[in-house]
Amino acid sequence: MLDQAMKQQLQSYLSNLKSDVQLRLSLDDSDTGSKLAALAADIASLSSLISVVRDDSHSERKPLMLVENLETGSAIGFAGLPMGHEFTSLVLALLHSGGHPIKLDDDTIAQIAALDTPLNVEIFISLSCQNCPEVVQVFNMMAAINPLITVTMIDGAAFQDEVKARDILAVPSVFVNGELFGQGRMSLAEILDKVDSGAAEKRAARLNQQAPFDVLVVGGGPAGASAAIYAARKGIRTGVVAERFGGQVQDTMAIENFISVKTTTGPKLVASLEEHVKEYGVEVITEQRAANIKGVEETTDGYLHVELESGAVLKARSVITSTGARWREMKVPGEQAYRNKGVAYCPHCDGPLFKGKRTAVIGGGNSGIEAAIDLAGIVEHVTVLEFADSLRADQVLIDKANATANIDIITLAETTQVLGDGERVTGLEYRDRNSGELHRLELAGIFVQIGLVPNSEWLKDSQVTLSARGEIEIDARGATSLEGVFAAGDVTTVPYKQIIIAMGEGAKASLAAFDHLIRNPAPVAQAELA
């Protein structure tokens, strides 16, 4: 099942096992079942601490492989074949079940261990989804720590009847004790907030105890990472606060225009960025959303205050905001009602759920045409709807789309309504902008790819000036209208929203922030002078 190179790499990882791990197999006669048995045999051959048992009566859902530690009672399940993006989830489950240290702080591990309610977690995924492994791995860590928590990753493609019965149209979809718990990307902090009352308050209290930063970066995308590295290299106290490290890049699969790197993926680039940032001892605070910023003249201690939605307040001598942007919504009737019920924004994540069905892509830019090309290999048919009279994508992409038999392109098309039966999308309505005539398309899925909206709402009550489009207005040095506050990346007025541009802007803003620091004494120095 595994090639020799992968076996050698996996054997190196498995040398970190400290206790016995059992793979319990419940199999059927399917091809997936045979491959799962072969995968288990390959894994067991690489470590004397791993054994395989066959127990077809153990589960009604087959094929299934349980990764068990019989001493601790932990059980982590994989229904289907955990390859593709989920192979890493399997490797980590083996390591954590076998006693390899889990990379969580002691307080978080203690919090998970203290949960006293049994949680049966089922996570429906697609093997092409780059967001799914993060959610699977978080719950798997929880199961390795606390035996009251059992987790099963379920490949939706292998269990179509369950997907249909539960009306799952977006991945990851998480069910806890049989009830829908959440869909899409979820962080550990978000999960703990839902299963452990008081968790958010405890975390906010800890953040309030943080010492002031010299430079606090708000946002963890390419601009934020670059800003943090440039600041930390100056030897000053640097922090990053963000909802998730990596930002929108985490959702980008193919990156082919990052100079000196011929091709990579968003998750790989983000992993490298995070490793680089942490190498400099930067304090990285995730699962937190900024709510407001107050200037020095609005505070009593001489520091800028970044208020978080959790209620915590972080203090800093300078702030660099790099909160990026998000996918723009159509804002038409039916879009919100059928979000995750046929309306989607990530073709890589949710495309496999529409296998053999008719879909539409809204938007004719690079992201829209790339989405159509990707979907064409999975779904029955793709219709691209573009508002303008021509596509805005690169010509090489347009040529490829035009050469793909199951892609139709309609220009001068204004989407007016998402149609559904109350449970899921059944089609959409669009207006021909030439004739004014309304048309309907029968569809199962709609993928929205119409550009970006800056994540700047949290600044609306601050002294930071925003443009008419909601972007942060900055000068040539990245300075905003509020002294000591700088900005970089897709959230600003800088044109051309590209990763490499965001990184350069982050570096520039960081250098400007350092220049601000050396020209303005710290609040403590001001107090001493008084």
Side-chain angles (χ1 to χ4, degrees), residues 393-473:
D394 295 341
Q395 191 60 46
V396 63
L397 295 174
I398 296 173
D399 292 343
K400 188 169 184 178
N402 284 330
T404 304
N406 62 337
I407 296 178
D408 285 338
I409 298 171
I410 303 173
T411 57
L412 288 171
E414 178 186 3
T415 304
T416 56
Q417 186 177 359
V418 173
L419 306 173
D421 60 8
E423 294 184 358
R424 61 176 64 198
V425 165
T426 59
L428 65 75
E429 180 184 82
Y430 74 92
R431 183 176 67 86
D432 184 320
R433 296 182 59 227
N434 247 342
S435 66
E437 186 178 354
L438 291 175
H439 300 271
R440 289 194 174 196
L441 296 175
E442 292 187 3
L443 305 163
I446 301 169
F447 291 85
V448 184
Q449 304 280 286
I450 55 174
L452 302 171
V453 178
N455 295 319
S456 61
E457 291 88 350
W458 67 284
L459 295 168
K460 65 182 184 344
D461 294 326
S462 74
Q463 296 180 39
V464 176
T465 300
L466 305 178
S467 71
R469 295 169 58 90
E471 296 171 326
I472 301 173
E473 293 188 353

Side-chain angles (χ1 to χ4, degrees), residues 212-477:
F213 294 95
D214 291 309
V215 174
L216 177 63
V217 180
V218 183
S226 176
I229 290 169
Y230 267 72
R233 283 174 59 86
K234 299 293 186 182
I236 56 181
R237 177 164 161 74
T238 304
V240 173
V241 59
E243 286 188 71
R244 57 169 175 158
F245 196 90
Q248 191 186 23
V249 177
Q250 280 277 22
D251 302 326
T252 304
M253 284 309 296
I255 298 174
E256 298 177 347
N257 57 356
F258 190 73
I259 308 306
S260 84
V261 179
K262 289 183 179 180
T263 182
T264 187
T265 66
K268 285 184 180 179
L269 179 58
V270 168
S272 297
L273 288 174
E274 188 168 15
E275 182 181 3
H276 198 175
V277 166
K278 290 184 176 179
E279 184 177 315
Y280 288 99
V282 174
E283 179 86 21
V284 178
I285 303 166
T286 55
E287 289 87 38
Q288 295 292 324
R289 180 182 294 190
N292 196 12
I293 186 169
K294 290 188 175 179
V296 171
E297 70 280 2
E298 298 177 271
T299 65
T300 59
D301 55 13
Y303 288 103
L304 295 161
H305 286 194
V306 175
E307 300 174 349
L308 307 178
E309 287 189 359
S310 64
V313 176
L314 298 176
K315 301 177 182 180
R317 293 177 60 199
S318 66
V319 170
I320 300 171
T321 175
S322 56
T323 44
R326 63 187 183 277
W327 291 117
R328 186 180 299 276
E329 298 177 350
M330 296 183 292
K331 298 191 182 303
V332 300
E335 180 178 17
Q336 290 303 316
Y338 292 103
R339 191 183 183 105
N340 295 329
K341 297 178 181 179
V343 175
Y345 302 84
C346 180
H348 302 292
C349 303
D350 299 332
L353 297 174
F354 298 89
K355 183 177 181 179
K357 298 178 181 179
R358 300 183 70 84
T359 62
V361 172
I362 311 300
N366 281 346
S367 60
I369 300 305
E370 286 173 353
I373 294 168
D374 288 343
L375 288 167
I378 303 170
V379 304
E380 177 188 343
H381 187 270
V382 184
T383 301
V384 177
L385 300 179
E386 165 57 41
F387 185 83
D389 60 359
S390 61
L391 300 180
R392 296 167 287 110
D394 295 341
Q395 191 60 46
V396 63
L397 295 174
I398 296 173
D399 292 343
K400 188 169 184 178
N402 284 330
T404 304
N406 62 337
I407 296 178
D408 285 338
I409 298 171
I410 303 173
T411 57
L412 288 171
E414 178 186 3
T415 304
T416 56
Q417 186 177 359
V418 173
L419 306 173
D421 60 8
E423 294 184 358
R424 61 176 64 198
V425 165
T426 59
L428 65 75
E429 180 184 82
Y430 74 92
R431 183 176 67 86
D432 184 320
R433 296 182 59 227
N434 247 342
S435 66
E437 186 178 354
L438 291 175
H439 300 271
R440 289 194 174 196
L441 296 175
E442 292 187 3
L443 305 163
I446 301 169
F447 291 85
V448 184
Q449 304 280 286
I450 55 174
L452 302 171
V453 178
N455 295 319
S456 61
E457 291 88 350
W458 67 284
L459 295 168
K460 65 182 184 344
D461 294 326
S462 74
Q463 296 180 39
V464 176
T465 300
L466 305 178
S467 71
R469 295 169 58 90
E471 296 171 326
I472 301 173
E473 293 188 353
I474 58 173
D475 66 13
R477 299 169 62 255

Side-chain angles (χ1 to χ4, degrees), residues 145-168:
I145 293 168
N146 188 330
L148 289 176
I149 302 170
T150 57
V151 179
T152 305
M153 178 221 80
I154 304 166
D155 177 10
F159 294 89
Q160 284 288 330
D161 289 343
E162 280 198 70
V163 168
K164 186 176 181 180
R166 300 202 195 195
D167 200 26
I168 296 170

Side-chain angles (χ1 to χ4, degrees), residues 120-241:
N120 176 31
V121 182
E122 300 166 297
I123 310 170
F124 287 83
I125 60 95
S126 70
L127 295 179
S128 62
C129 169
Q130 71 268 25
N131 292 328
C132 295
E134 182 176 326
V135 177
V136 171
Q137 289 161 26
V138 165
F139 277 108
N140 285 355
M141 285 191 293
M142 293 175 64
I145 293 168
N146 188 330
L148 289 176
I149 302 170
T150 57
V151 179
T152 305
M153 178 221 80
I154 304 166
D155 177 10
F159 294 89
Q160 284 288 330
D161 289 343
E162 280 198 70
V163 168
K164 186 176 181 180
R166 300 202 195 195
D167 200 26
I168 296 170
L169 293 173
V171 290
S173 285
V174 179
F175 291 79
V176 175
N177 296 336
E179 299 294 327
L180 182 63
F181 182 83
Q183 292 178 309
R185 184 183 292 272
M186 283 174 272
S187 67
L188 176 57
E190 290 171 328
I191 293 166
L192 289 177
D193 285 350
K194 294 181 74 170
V195 300
D196 182 11
S197 60
E201 290 79 5
K202 294 173 188 175
R203 192 164 62 254
R206 289 197 298 269
L207 289 177
N208 280 328
Q209 301 304 312
Q210 286 273 5
F213 294 95
D214 291 309
V215 174
L216 177 63
V217 180
V218 183
S226 176
I229 290 169
Y230 267 72
R233 283 174 59 86
K234 299 293 186 182
I236 56 181
R237 177 164 161 74
T238 304
V240 173
V241 59

